[in-house]
Amino acid sequence: MVTDGRGLGHIVRQGDIVGQKPPMRVMRITRNEVIFKALSVAENEKEPREVRKALLTQEELQELQP
């Protein structure tokens, strides 16, 4: 599950397209991170941007629970 800019949670799978500016594809999900890749190349870039988001640890998840 990932959260968007509004704090809403979404379940994603490899291959899903998320976001709008720019739209990104979920390329890979590992134990430690989710890797997104832009579907298009920005004018000032040579290849699509790749974003890596680290997953929360078990301790971080427990801190979020009431």
Side-chain angles (χ1 to χ4, degrees), residues 3-60:
T3 56
D4 63 17
R6 299 174 292 179
L8 297 174
H10 303 275
I11 296 174
V12 296
R13 292 189 171 105
Q14 188 171 328
D16 286 354
I17 297 173
V18 297
Q20 295 177 355
K21 296 181 184 178
M24 303 190 100
R25 183 178 306 279
V26 178
M27 297 302 292
R28 194 163 170 210
I29 300 172
T30 69
R31 291 181 58 157
N32 301 320
E33 66 185 354
V34 178
I35 303 168
F36 302 90
K37 190 168 192 175
L39 294 179
S40 60
V41 179
E43 291 179 21
N44 59 346
E45 297 175 341
K46 293 182 181 179
E47 52 186 68
R49 183 169 53 128
E50 188 173 287
V51 176
R52 295 173 178 260
K53 294 291 184 179
L55 300 177
L56 296 177
T57 65
Q58 193 69 17
E59 293 79 25
E60 292 170 321

